[in-house]
Amino acid sequence: TWKPSSDHDCNNSDKIKSKFSVWDFKPSSDDLSSDDDSSACPGRHHATQSLFFTSNSLFLLFWDLGVKNRKSWRCGAFPKCAKHEEQKTYVSSSDEGNYFTVGTNHAQADCELENDIVKNVLFWVDCIRQLHLVNTIILPIASFDDEFDENEAKRRCEIMKKLLMKQCENTYSVKLGDVPNLMFDQGAGDGILRINATTTNGVKLLQKVICRISVGDRFCQGHLGTVVPRVSQKILAVLQKLKQEFKIVKVDHILTRVNLQIKSEVKLIELQDSLIYWSEIGEILYFGEPGHSVPNGNHNLLADFVVLCPKWFISAISCIMRKGLGDELRKLHTDQHQKNPFVSWWNDTSNCAAITPDDCVQLWRTMEFMRNLGLNVEKTRDDRSHLEVFEFLQSLLARFNMLLPIAITADPTKAGNDDTSDFCHQDMIDNDHSLSARGSAETTFFLAPGIFPSKIPQDVWSYIHSDSWHMILSHSWLFKDTAPPGMIEQIFKSTIIDLSTSICASRCPSHRHNAQNMGGSGFSGTTCRHRYLRTAKCWKNAFFLEVGIRLESEKRHTQQSSVKIFVHLDDKKSDFCIRSSGMTQSMRRLTVSAKGLTSNSGTYIWKGGLEQVIQSTDHVIENTFGWTAIREIVCSQCLAEKSCKSACVWKKDYIKRCLKEGRPTVWCQDGHKVELSVICGKLPNGMHSNDRIIERNPSRRIQHCISSVVIVGLWDHNTKSLRSLGSGFVVDNNKGLIITAAHTLIEMEKTENFGEVHGRPRIGVIDSKTKEPFWYSAEIVVRNQDEVDACVLRITQESKCDFKSKRVGKLKIATDGCGNDENVWILGYSQKESPINIESPRGYVIRSFMNMQPERGRRSFQPRQEIVIVCPNATFGHSGGPCVNREGNVVGILSRGDPIDNKRFLVPSNQLKLLYKQATEQK
């Protein structure tokens, strides 16, 4: 063995025999295209590269100084490869003396440079850290040194060193174990060794640095320069002979060969320790654990085989880890008729292909070098030898997260029914999701994160929504310095397993009673009959789920809805990043957002999937990776009214204290008052859902408003009768102007007849003596059925005199609107009883809504603004009735209600004022 012992050996490093083996995945021309970012290159995925990471290693971490990142170029410090046309796009010659413009350009370029270092340098440091390798050293190296002048290259290297040093001091993980030692070249001024791209400058220095580290660093002692035992040398001789015959061989076969050749008994543990050593040297590839042939009491398939030909091994993996896998699977399933309906549904609807174990075997068998596998294993053509190798390759890909195994017991995409007895297995509620713990009835398939698309479509998610009965809830995890590599794919895997198990368990009759009550924690009134998975898509740093739900109220009203969930990991520049204003370049924010019905304080969103996703996310971050992050909860009102980048957040610890203290609400920094039950999914201690008593009796202050409320109907000439009865209020008794809900008179559904009026409006005033209505003809003078569910009516000229004689009152439209928690009363005529009586149920305001992104050119109703109140006693016939405050001023009119919940939606007073103003301006 060679053991360098002096500086003389280091200075003559060119005389030392060194061996370099290049085992890499050759990307296709499509993979190398920088213009097409729709898919990830499998060879670039960190899990693919980690196959070759071993203990007792020196990692040379190269960075190209950001030469290919045009956004990191400062004006006046362009690389030599930059074309003259490209330089003009940054700062023109007329701006060279403008210090502000130049300074802004430098600041933006430096931010992009730091982001480039985080993605291409710090990311790989974290990848090596996660493997818990023993005695490893990372040497950062800067390439393309000759592309920049000396000062610019040095400046970029100093930034990289600063970020690397900061990362080494970070204690973000509690499960790091053996942390690699980060070393810098002491001979370089900035500590970063630099190598030219066009010449060999720096290569000689790199040789000396490698030798110096090998000789003098304590991390290399005990490995480099140690005497190789005689038995290990004989094992190597056997392995070299086997390389001439086989590509992959079983450990038992090696053990038999070794014992026959050296004529002495070598124990299996001794052989495995030697195989691990030669694997670290690079002679073979062996993935068994040191000193353990049967770890944790379970058979370890990875310890049964030794890969003798790395190029064959790479080719075998490339059969699965390749772009276009989905098209290949569809062709394979067409030829062989895929029998699994869930896998077929997944591949038809998702953007990431699902591959079954049988698919893997069939793909390998389509390759000639894999069909002759019996010649490469042992001198047998037994088909079982093929299957063992295929099982070994599958286990290896799963072990290094190149394939994510997902096991589900039943199909979560089916809506189901009340008699779904075929789903009632104990496995559905089993919390153990491991493959070995499942029964034969399960479906197991793999996802390949290395071929997940990189580019997230902009239309997949938006924090802006146009429906006031929907809301978005968001929780986030802020990582101060980078995030765990592979985190999104692990959360996606865990979520699919946990959510599918939860959905299928809720279909079991013995557990349906517990799953139906969507309220929980004090909520009541509505049950969720079924949940099912509609959509599942995943990208490199995000995934999207849609869970369909069927709701049923106590009155047996049913409603189909869904919960859309978007999970994404972003830096501060992303359009999806929440609260990016307070983030640095190296920070990463993981956000779990869900969009669904506001009903029942957002409980349908929580039980529809958000609760499960948050639990899976917490589990993966804390237990799988062992990282720490700042947990924050996002203000739902901020997301509804402003950009997500400036939304307010609360620390989770603060929210937990509020819950413990029994507070029902919490205020954000922008003055929004939000219910804790909405953003947390549970009620504070000691609080119940019926703590807010709704009074039915009207207040004395609004008694005078009753005389201003009228009945609104539509006279049908064909049937000679009134239909579509509602309520309204008089806003001007002199001119005979009434405001009511537009949908009472106008066709508001999305049909060909949208906007049409089929009949003649009638206004009914209740006589104080007879309690019977007097009817007056009216006409619609102002309406905006596209955005406002309100219209202004005017008593016709022939009826106006008689209308004035009734001494009908009028109501004033409020100028200041209303605030959250404000008490309000809805005034309207109930149509359920005879004679018709006016009612004034009491409620309270919970939120205001404004459509931030209205659709143009549509023929359907989409409210511009709405006020959401809780008023359970508002009923049929109250539509269009005024909603007044304590002063008796109109803050809105009733537009519609949630048939499942107690929420009601109002047209706000500012929209009513606009319509009234237009009516008064008409002749």
Side-chain angles (χ1 to χ4, degrees), residues 478-740:
L478 181 63
F479 298 91
K480 290 186 176 180
D481 292 287
T482 71
M487 179 176 61
I488 284 291
E489 58 205 46
Q490 290 297 328
I491 296 175
F492 184 58
K493 167 192 169 182
S494 178
T495 297
I496 293 296
I497 294 175
D498 295 344
L499 188 59
S500 299
T501 303
S502 174
I503 290 175
C504 297
S506 65
R507 300 172 183 166
C508 182
S510 60
H511 302 282
R512 188 178 294 136
H513 176 73
N514 296 329
Q516 280 179 355
N517 191 347
M518 293 293 285
S521 304
F523 297 106
S524 61
T526 305
T527 58
C528 176
R529 302 302 298 174
H530 299 293
R531 292 183 298 162
Y532 55 97
L533 187 61
R534 283 184 176 178
T535 307
K537 296 183 178 181
C538 191
W539 296 267
K540 181 180 178 181
N541 289 319
F543 67 84
F544 174 81
L545 301 174
E546 184 176 4
V547 179
I549 55 177
R550 185 164 74 98
L551 304 173
E552 185 175 296
S553 68
E554 293 177 343
K555 299 179 181 180
R556 310 300 294 178
H557 292 128
T558 60
Q559 179 178 349
Q560 294 286 345
S561 185
S562 67
V563 176
K564 299 178 180 179
I565 302 172
F566 185 57
V567 181
H568 54 102
L569 177 67
D570 293 301
D571 55 25
K572 64 178 299 182
K573 299 188 305 179
S574 171
D575 295 334
F576 300 117
C577 188
I578 289 178
R579 194 64 178 179
S580 59
S581 55
M583 294 174 58
T584 62
Q585 288 297 322
S586 60
M587 285 184 176
R588 294 294 182 268
R589 184 182 292 277
L590 174 69
T591 307
V592 175
S593 302
K595 182 188 300 184
L597 294 175
T598 62
S599 306
N600 215 352
S601 297
T603 311
Y604 306 138
I605 301 177
W606 283 98
K607 298 301 180 181
L610 178 60
E611 182 179 29
Q612 199 74 57
V613 175
I614 289 179
Q615 290 176 357
S616 299
T617 303
D618 278 330
H619 176 79
V620 169
I621 294 176
E622 296 174 7
N623 299 327
T624 304
F625 293 101
W627 284 48
T628 57
I630 301 175
R631 283 284 276 109
E632 294 177 332
I633 300 175
V634 187
C635 174
S636 57
Q637 283 290 89
C638 287
L639 291 177
E641 298 180 7
K642 58 194 298 189
S643 170
C644 66
K645 291 183 173 293
S646 56
C648 296
V649 296
W650 301 280
K651 297 291 191 295
K652 184 182 178 181
D653 293 338
Y654 171 73
I655 297 297
K656 289 173 66 176
R657 288 198 306 269
C658 294
L659 287 170
K660 188 175 181 180
E661 295 170 1
R663 301 185 193 176
T665 58
V666 64
W667 293 85
C668 79
Q669 293 179 349
D670 284 356
H672 296 132
K673 190 177 183 181
V674 182
E675 294 184 16
L676 284 175
S677 59
V678 173
I679 60 175
C680 297
K682 59 183 178 180
L683 291 171
N685 290 342
M687 183 178 177
H688 301 279
S689 60
N690 58 353
D691 281 351
R692 289 175 126 162
I693 307 293
I694 306 300
E695 299 179 6
R696 188 176 179 85
N697 296 326
S699 170
R700 292 182 179 179
R701 296 185 180 182
I702 62 170
Q703 287 286 351
H704 68 279
C705 301
I706 294 178
S707 63
S708 305
V709 183
V710 297
I711 307 173
V712 179
L714 197 63
W715 178 260
D716 192 331
H717 295 282
N718 297 326
T719 62
K720 304 299 181 180
S721 62
L722 286 168
R723 62 181 178 88
S724 186
L725 294 175
S727 302
F729 74 95
V730 179
V731 65
D732 191 330
N733 49 11
N734 290 324
K735 296 182 179 181
L737 298 180
I738 294 97
I739 295 180
T740 186

Side-chain angles (χ1 to χ4, degrees), residues 417-432:
N417 52 60
D418 291 342
D419 299 320
T420 50
S421 57
D422 55 321
F423 292 104
C424 304
H425 302 291
Q426 182 64 27
D427 289 332
M428 297 177 192
I429 57 173
D430 190 355
N431 290 327
D432 189 354

Side-chain angles (χ1 to χ4, degrees), residues 100-330:
F100 175 78
T101 303
V102 175
T104 302
N105 168 266
H106 286 185
Q108 294 174 348
D110 291 348
C111 289
E112 185 61 34
L113 182 64
E114 290 186 12
N115 195 44
D116 190 273
I117 296 172
V118 170
K119 290 181 178 180
N120 298 312
V121 180
L122 304 189
F123 173 82
W124 289 105
V125 174
D126 287 335
C127 290
I128 299 172
R129 280 182 163 186
Q130 280 188 187
L131 296 176
H132 311 297
L133 302 175
V134 180
N135 295 339
T136 55
I137 301 173
I138 299 177
L139 177 64
I141 302 171
S143 59
F144 292 90
D145 175 50
D146 50 340
E147 284 291 334
F148 296 96
D149 60 43
E150 176 64 22
N151 293 333
E152 179 63 14
K154 184 177 180 180
R155 186 186 69 85
R156 290 174 174 251
C157 288
E158 288 175 348
I159 294 176
M160 178 173 68
K161 181 179 180 180
K162 180 185 70 173
L163 294 178
L164 284 170
M165 295 294 293
K166 182 180 179 182
Q167 188 186 34
C168 290
E169 298 170 358
N170 192 355
T171 56
Y172 50 81
S173 177
V174 296
K175 296 176 63 177
L176 281 178
D178 295 293
V179 179
N181 185 33
L182 186 64
M183 300 196 68
F184 298 99
D185 179 22
Q186 302 300 327
D190 46 31
I192 304 296
L193 192 149
R194 285 182 265 166
I195 295 179
N196 287 0
T198 56
T199 66
T200 59
N201 291 345
V203 176
K204 294 289 185 180
L205 181 59
L206 176 60
Q207 290 178 315
K208 293 181 180 180
V209 171
I210 293 175
C211 290
R212 186 164 62 246
I213 293 175
S214 303
V215 174
D217 195 87
R218 61 184 177 86
F219 288 94
C220 297
Q221 302 304 318
H223 182 74
L224 183 64
T226 58
V227 177
V228 180
R230 187 175 297 274
V231 174
S232 294
Q233 296 181 35
K234 292 183 177 181
I235 291 175
L236 177 60
V238 172
L239 291 173
Q240 290 174 343
K241 290 183 179 180
L242 289 173
K243 286 182 178 181
Q244 301 174 6
E245 304 177 53
F246 311 126
K247 308 298 183 184
I248 182 172
V249 66
K250 295 190 70 173
V251 173
D252 293 342
H253 185 67
I254 298 175
L255 184 62
T256 302
R257 286 283 192 101
V258 170
N259 287 330
L260 288 176
Q261 182 164 337
I262 66 177
K263 298 180 180 180
S264 64
E265 184 177 356
V266 176
K267 296 181 180 180
L268 179 60
I269 293 180
E270 294 177 336
L271 175 62
Q272 287 182 322
D273 291 340
S274 180
L275 292 175
I276 291 172
Y277 176 81
W278 292 121
S279 180
E280 292 175 351
I281 295 299
E283 291 289 342
I284 58 172
L285 288 177
Y286 181 65
F287 302 96
E289 298 182 8
H292 294 82
S293 59
V294 187
N296 302 324
N298 298 320
H299 178 68
N300 184 11
L301 188 61
L302 299 184
D304 289 349
F305 286 89
V306 174
V307 178
L308 300 176
C309 180
K311 292 185 178 181
W312 171 89
F313 175 65
I314 292 173
S315 299
I317 294 177
S318 299
C319 293
I320 308 298
M321 302 297 297
R322 54 174 165 167
K323 292 179 64 175
L325 178 63
D327 296 335
E328 193 68 25
L329 289 175
R330 278 187 284 271

